[in-house]
C-alpha cells in the first residue's frame, strides 16, 4: 500500500495520442480521484489538417496553436488534472528532412529532455508512468524519442546527483501502451465483413502498431468512459474527423470498440499477479 496520494503520469509525443491510446484510462482514473498528469512532447506543428472547416494553407502556420487548443479541450473532457508541454517541435514522419531540423524533438539532446521530464515527475510524484514502447507504435521519430525519454526519466528520477533539482522520487510501475494483434485482427475482420474500408487494408491483418498478445499484461475496462474517450478524440478536429477510421471502427463494432485499453507492464517494484486489470494493482 502507498502512503502517497495516487498519481498517474502519461507521456505522449503529440496532441491526440493521449486520447487514442489512453483516453478511457485517463478519464477513468481522473473520475476515481487519481491525480492525472499528461506530458506532451510537442504541439504537433506539422500534422495533418483534416478539419473540413479549415483551409489547410491558411491554418498550417498556426497549427501548433490550433492543436494546443484541441488538446486542452480534450484534457477538459477527460478530466485530466494538469497538462505539461516539454517544449519541443514536431519532427514529422520518419524519413522526412524535417527530422534533422534544430528544435525538433528527434534532434533534442536526450539528457536535456530527460531532465525536463524528471522535474515533472519529482513534482507530481506518480506511482505509475505510461508511455510508448520501443518501436514508438508505428515508428514515428517522436514516438520513439518519447519512449527513450520516458524510460530514462523513470529510472533516473531518483538520482539527484546526475539530475539535480527537486526531491528524488522513484515511480513504482512503468507501462507501455500496447494494442494486441488479436484485437487488431478482430477489428479488421469486422470491418471487412461489414464492407467498410479499413485504414490498414482489407486483408484481415492487424494494424502495423499492434504487438503480440504475449506482450499485453494489463487489460483495463473503460466501458463507462467510452463516450468520454470518443468525445476527447473528436476534440482533435484537425486529426480525427467524424468519418475517420477510429469512428468507423466504432460504427461497425458498437460501444465495445474502444471499451478496453491495454498495456504492457515493463517494470514494477510491487509484486502483483498477471494479467492485471488496474494500473495501480498492488498500490492500493
Amino acid at each position: 500500500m502507498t502512503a502517497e496520494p495516487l498519481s498517474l503520469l502519461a507521456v505522449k509525443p503529440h496532441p491526440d495520442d493521449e486520447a487514442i491510446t489512453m483516453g478511457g484510462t485517463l478519464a477513468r482514473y481522473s473520475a476515481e480521484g487519481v491525480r492525472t498528469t499528461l506530458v506532451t512532447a510537442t504541439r504537433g506543428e506539422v500534422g495533418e489538417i483534416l478539419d473540413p472547416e479549415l483551409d489547410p494553407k491558411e491554418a498550417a502556420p498556426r497549427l501548433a496553436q490550433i492543436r494546443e487548443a484541441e488538446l486542452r479541450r480534450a484534457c477538459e473532457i477527460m478530466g485530466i488534472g494538469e497538462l505539461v508541454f516539454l517544449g519541443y517541435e514536431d519532427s514529422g514522419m520518419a524519413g522526412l528532412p524535417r527530422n534533422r531540423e534544430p528544435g525538433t524533438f528527434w534532434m533534442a539532446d536526450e539528457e536535456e529532455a530527460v531532465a525536463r521530464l524528471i522535474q515533472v515527475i519529482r513534482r507530481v510524484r506518480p506511482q505509475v508512468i505510461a508511455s510508448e514502447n520501443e518501436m514508438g507504435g508505428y515508428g514515428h521519430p517522436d514516438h520513439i524519442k518519447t519512449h527513450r525519454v520516458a524510460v530514462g526519466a523513470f529510472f533516473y528520477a531518483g538520482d539527484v546527483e546526475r539530475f539535480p533539482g527537486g526531491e528524488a522520487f522513484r515511480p513504482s510501475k512503468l507501462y507501455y501502451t500496447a494494442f494486441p494483434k488479436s484485437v487488431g485482427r478482430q477489428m479488421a475482420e469486422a470491418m471487412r465483413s461489414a464492407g467498410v474500408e479499413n485504414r490498414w487494408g482489407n486483408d484481415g491483418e492487424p494494424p502495423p502498431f499492434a504487438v503480440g498478445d504475449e506482450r499485453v499484461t494489463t487489460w483495463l475496462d473503460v466501458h463507462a468512459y467510452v463516450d468520454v474517450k470518443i468525445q476527447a478524440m473528436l476534440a482533435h478536429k484537425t486529426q480525427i474527423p467524424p468519418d475517420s477510421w477510429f469512428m468507423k471502427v466504432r460504427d461497425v463494432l458498437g460501444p465495445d470498440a474502444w471499451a478496453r485499453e491495454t498495456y504492457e507492464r515493463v517494470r514494477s517494484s510491487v509484486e502483483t499477479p498477471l494479467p492485471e486489470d488496474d494500473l495501480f494493482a498492488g498500490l492500493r
Side-chain angles (χ1 to χ4, degrees):
M1 303 292 289
T2 178
E4 297 262 1
L6 295 181
S7 178
L8 168 64
L9 176 65
V11 186
K12 291 294 174 178
H14 311 108
D16 83 354
D17 291 320
E18 82 298 329
I20 293 169
T21 60
M22 294 185 62
T25 299
L26 289 162
R28 169 182 160 175
Y29 287 120
S30 295
E32 290 179 3
V34 174
R35 179 177 187 172
T36 51
T37 307
L38 170 64
V39 171
T40 305
T42 79
R43 288 173 168 79
E45 290 86 346
V46 294
E48 296 178 289
I49 302 177
L50 302 177
D51 183 351
E53 297 180 0
L54 292 176
D55 175 358
K57 289 185 178 180
E58 184 279 328
R62 56 188 184 92
L63 186 56
Q65 291 73 31
I66 295 171
R67 294 192 69 181
E68 178 178 341
E70 292 175 343
L71 179 56
R72 292 191 182 281
R73 175 57 183 148
C75 287
E76 289 177 4
I77 292 168
M78 291 179 285
I80 294 172
E82 183 181 2
L83 168 63
V84 179
F85 286 100
L86 278 190
Y88 298 102
E89 293 183 11
D90 188 342
S91 307
M93 298 295 286
L96 296 178
R98 183 175 172 83
N99 297 166
R100 299 298 176 183
E101 290 185 11
T104 60
F105 191 35
W106 186 244
M107 291 299 291
D109 181 272
E110 195 162 307
E111 191 97 347
E112 178 191 63
V114 168
R116 292 186 189 186
L117 183 55
I118 282 175
Q119 292 307 307
V120 179
I121 292 172
R122 289 177 180 168
R123 180 170 58 81
V124 305
R125 303 177 73 80
Q127 294 87 6
V128 175
I129 295 180
S131 192
E132 305 291 310
N133 67 19
E134 72 284 354
M135 299 175 291
Y138 60 99
H140 191 295
D142 288 338
H143 287 244
I144 295 171
K145 190 67 166 270
T146 297
H147 160 79
R148 295 174 180 172
V149 171
V151 171
F154 176 87
F155 283 107
Y156 285 108
D159 187 343
V160 291
E161 291 188 6
R162 179 169 177 179
F163 293 95
E167 182 181 351
F169 180 78
R170 294 187 182 277
S172 300
K173 303 174 85 175
L174 174 64
Y175 290 89
Y176 302 155
T177 50
F179 187 76
K181 285 185 177 181
S182 62
V183 174
R185 290 192 181 96
Q186 292 168 10
M187 285 185 173
E189 178 58 28
M191 300 284 273
R192 187 192 64 78
S193 297
V196 177
E197 183 180 359
N198 186 2
R199 177 178 181 178
W200 309 111
N202 288 314
D203 56 4
E205 285 302 305
F209 51 79
V211 300
D213 284 41
E214 70 279 358
R215 292 189 62 165
V216 180
T217 63
T218 310
W219 302 70
L220 258 60
D221 182 353
V222 295
H223 275 84
Y225 303 97
V226 169
D227 289 344
V228 175
K229 176 185 176 80
I230 295 297
Q231 290 307 310
M233 291 168 69
L234 289 172
H236 295 281
K237 296 196 294 183
T238 58
Q239 310 303 303
I240 307 176
D243 63 349
S244 71
W245 176 79
F246 299 103
M247 298 304 117
K248 289 177 180 178
V249 169
R250 179 199 57 175
D251 293 342
V252 170
L253 296 178
D256 289 340
W258 303 112
R260 288 189 301 179
E261 292 181 343
T262 44
Y263 298 84
E264 177 184 2
R265 191 183 82 189
V266 290
R267 288 290 186 274
S268 179
S269 63
V270 294
E271 294 295 329
T272 57
L274 297 176
E276 296 175 324
D277 60 5
D278 180 7
L279 297 183
F280 289 90
L283 294 169
R284 55 178 169 179

